[in-house]
Amino acid sequence: MTPPDRSVMAAASARAVASGLTLTTVSRQSLLNSSSSQSSTASVAAHPLKSPFYGSSHVSGSLRGSSTAISKVRHRSTAIVSASFLEKLVKLFSDDEKSEEQVMALFEFNELDKGSPVIVRKDETKKVTCLGDFVPYTNKVYDCTGKKYLGISAGLCTVMEHLPSGGDLFETTMSHYVGDYGHISCQGPYKTDSDTEMAVIGGTGVFAGARGWVKCQNIAGPLKLLYTYHITGIAKLPAELTKPPASLEEVLKKKPSNSTVPVEASKA
């Protein structure tokens, strides 16, 4: 087998180390010693080595001989790569579909039919929201057209600041439950008077393993919102979830219809 190019393997080593993979190298001398004699061995702790392909690495185990033999090992070592290491390295460099960013748009509407949101004040004498107040909520979630009902949102906002504009800054943890497809969760800041971005922290169903970020746009205050997800780490999403969203003006004119509610979503 033709040895790999040194520059390619050096880059692979750096990326592997950054990803938490480890490599153990064993010298040729140590392999010979272990096969030729079972006696007069000395237990040697891990020593830094220099490999022509992988850079710094470590060797551990029983080496026969003195410090002179160990010194030679430092300069004459052969990389022994396990199958599991190679498998992980291939996955690390593979361009599979899970590494591609996918964009999903969901509309969230508060149609004033679920008693949401609720403001839980730590001081009822205050007339404005204050630091530490909680706002649990649940709204309805629609597809990219703003017409097909998919499920619900559920979240908890903690008031961080009452803004001079009259809006509020929240720290939010929330999820979108998308019927049979599962759910996707995000966390981060939310402002009632401007657009914000949050981090995707995971999901279930087709969203299992999701990572990325989501932009939250206020269409009509906190009553109508557009969430645009930028997701990696998952298999290809169904086509109906990745279509471009309808124009905001168009969505504001349309009245959502529940005629296509999936049974599972209606139970959420």
Side-chain angles (χ1 to χ4, degrees):
M1 182 175 66
T2 303
D5 182 76
R6 293 191 179 188
S7 61
V8 173
M9 295 310 299
S13 175
R15 186 166 177 182
V17 170
S19 303
L21 302 181
T22 58
L23 173 67
T24 297
T25 64
V26 180
S27 73
R28 292 175 181 170
Q29 184 64 41
S30 109
L31 293 178
L32 292 175
N33 289 342
S34 62
S35 61
S36 62
S37 175
Q38 299 297 327
S39 61
S40 302
T41 59
S43 179
V44 181
H47 291 280
L49 299 176
K50 291 292 183 177
S51 168
F53 292 147
Y54 296 96
S56 296
S57 54
H58 286 78
V59 61
S60 60
S62 295
L63 295 180
R64 180 187 176 201
S66 63
S67 58
T68 304
I70 297 174
S71 177
K72 292 180 180 179
V73 167
R74 295 188 179 183
H75 300 285
R76 297 175 57 194
S77 61
T78 301
I80 306 300
V81 185
S82 67
S84 61
F85 178 88
L86 288 177
E87 182 180 353
K88 292 177 182 178
L89 194 60
V90 169
K91 289 182 179 179
L92 187 64
F93 281 87
S94 62
D95 263 335
D96 56 25
E97 59 183 6
K98 291 187 177 181
S99 65
E100 297 179 1
E101 182 180 85
Q102 300 182 73
V103 179
M104 175 181 69
L106 298 175
F107 284 99
E108 182 181 313
F109 299 149
N110 184 336
E111 297 175 349
L112 306 177
D113 61 345
K114 301 174 73 66
S116 174
V118 175
I119 300 177
V120 183
R121 302 185 191 277
K122 63 178 184 179
D123 186 350
E124 293 295 340
T125 64
K126 301 287 186 180
K127 295 184 179 180
V128 296
T129 53
C130 301
L131 178 66
D133 289 349
F134 292 120
V135 184
Y137 71 93
T138 178
N139 297 323
K140 291 182 178 178
V141 175
Y142 291 82
D143 71 346
C144 61
T145 67
K147 297 173 66 177
K148 182 178 179 180
Y149 176 73
L150 295 177
I152 65 167
S153 65
L156 177 63
C157 296
T158 303
V159 178
M160 302 306 296
E161 184 182 358
H162 184 65
L163 303 173
S165 63
D168 291 309
L169 169 63
F170 296 93
E171 176 63 23
T172 301
T173 301
M174 60 158 296
S175 298
H176 282 129
Y177 293 86
V178 194
D180 289 337
Y181 295 127
H183 89 284
I184 187 168
S185 298
C186 53
Q187 183 176 4
Y190 168 68
K191 292 182 180 180
T192 58
D193 62 352
S194 63
D195 299 341
T196 46
E197 295 177 356
M198 291 185 276
V200 173
I201 57 177
T204 61
V206 300
F207 307 111
R211 57 185 182 270
W213 61 281
V214 58
K215 181 177 182 179
C216 176
Q217 294 175 263
N218 291 302
I219 305 173
L223 298 181
K224 293 183 183 292
L225 306 105
L226 169 61
Y227 287 83
T228 306
Y229 283 90
H230 297 260
I231 315 168
T232 60
I234 60 175
K236 189 173 181 62
L237 289 171
E240 74 166 321
L241 295 181
T242 57
K243 295 179 181 178
S247 68
L248 303 187
E249 293 79 9
E250 184 180 359
V251 171
L252 288 173
K253 293 177 182 178
K254 291 181 178 180
K255 183 178 180 179
S257 171
N258 289 350
S259 60
T260 56
V261 179
V263 175
E264 290 75 13
S266 66
K267 294 179 182 179

